Amino acid sequence: MSEQLEQSQTLNNLMRAFAGESMAQTRYLLAADEAQKQNYAAIARLFRFTAEQERQHAKVFSGFIAGAAGENTDITAGFPSEFPADIQQLLEAAANGERSEADIVYPDFARIAREEGFTDIADRFAMIGQIEETHRKRFAYYAGLMSSGMLLRSESTEERWICLNCGHIHTGSEPPKNCPVCGVPQGWRVREAEADFTFSGLV
Ligand SMILES: [Fe+2]
Ligand SMILES: [Fe+2]
């Protein structure tokens, strides 16, 4: 199989995918740094959460590439070149990148791998493409909350906001400007149901 992979378009696509995932990871870590700097700690956490997943995608691809062996290969691909400082724009740019991976790049790579007879690789491309769609939805959701002014505001006076620094929960339509327990700014808050390991009604 490895010899066959060496001659294939799929090997080139695996390398493009590895490069794309590696860059996505770095872009999201840089976005997380920027969000943290601007005290949007919850958004920073979203970028780090997603960056780790991109790293794992790169690892899956590197496993297939390692089985094929060898020489350096030239690849070409289009990668986003914008690094906005505005957090809403960062989220929108991330959602756009995910859209092209989910809708075009991975479905194409999966189709070619299937045509070339690499069923397992085709399945991984397809499944990772589906993951990118969940990334797109998540980034778009938070970009939408920001653009509508609802990132830190709710229609409900019963909304539960958790402080991602100390765990304090505030109930109301808006979290306090600073946490009454640990003092961190509002951007550390997220709806409790959207925080890790919390379930509505659990506490
Ligand atoms: Fe990915
Ligand atoms: Fe992604």
Side-chain angles (χ1 to χ4, degrees):
M1 151 134 174
S2 74
E3 205 176 339
Q4 200 188 346
L5 187 58
E6 276 160 30
Q7 308 305 320
S8 69
Q9 177 61 39
T10 291
L11 177 59
N12 199 268
N13 290 343
L14 284 166
M15 290 182 169
R16 288 167 65 191
F18 179 79
E21 296 290 348
S22 304
M23 268 190 266
Q25 186 210 16
T26 303
R27 259 198 315 278
Y28 294 162
L29 291 176
L30 292 174
D33 289 348
E34 188 60 41
Q36 190 73 48
K37 197 173 89 186
Q38 298 183 36
N39 273 318
Y40 286 104
I43 299 294
R45 185 172 288 202
L46 167 65
F47 276 116
R48 282 192 217 105
F49 173 77
T50 314
E52 171 61 16
Q53 293 169 14
E54 307 301 13
R55 190 163 70 93
Q56 296 305 326
H57 299 174
K59 188 174 174 183
V60 169
F61 297 135
S62 74
F64 288 118
I65 294 165
E71 304 156 20
N72 289 351
T73 303
D74 290 336
I75 54 167
T76 54
F79 298 106
S81 57
E82 36 174 5
F83 296 92
D86 179 85
I87 305 305
Q88 188 186 319
Q89 284 175 23
L90 272 174
L91 288 164
E92 287 165 356
N96 285 338
E98 299 286 356
R99 179 183 295 108
S100 87
E101 288 180 346
D103 290 356
I104 300 164
V105 177
Y106 285 129
D108 261 7
F109 287 1
R111 178 184 51 77
I112 292 165
R114 217 169 291 286
E115 284 168 7
E116 291 185 329
F118 303 109
T119 308
D120 184 21
I121 298 173
D123 290 345
R124 305 299 177 100
F125 277 141
M127 287 189 282
I128 287 176
Q130 286 163 9
I131 296 168
E132 309 304 2
E133 173 61 11
T134 69
H135 291 174
R136 183 198 67 75
K137 280 193 183 139
R138 213 174 277 128
F139 285 131
Y141 168 72
Y142 286 99
L145 286 182
M146 280 196 98
S147 70
S148 60
M150 301 304 279
L151 183 68
L152 294 164
R153 194 151 54 82
S154 171
E155 307 290 0
S156 168
T157 55
E158 302 297 306
E159 194 73 72
R160 289 163 62 89
W161 303 91
I162 187 166
C163 171
L164 291 173
N165 192 46
C166 73
H168 174 258
I169 289 172
H170 172 89
T171 302
S173 56
E174 272 180 51
K177 294 290 173 216
N178 290 92
C179 179
V181 175
C182 71
V184 296
Q186 211 177 28
W188 285 78
R189 298 274 174 171
V190 70
R191 287 163 176 81
E192 186 196 12
E194 297 172 16
D196 298 349
F197 306 121
T198 61
F199 307 90
S200 184
L202 188 67
V203 270

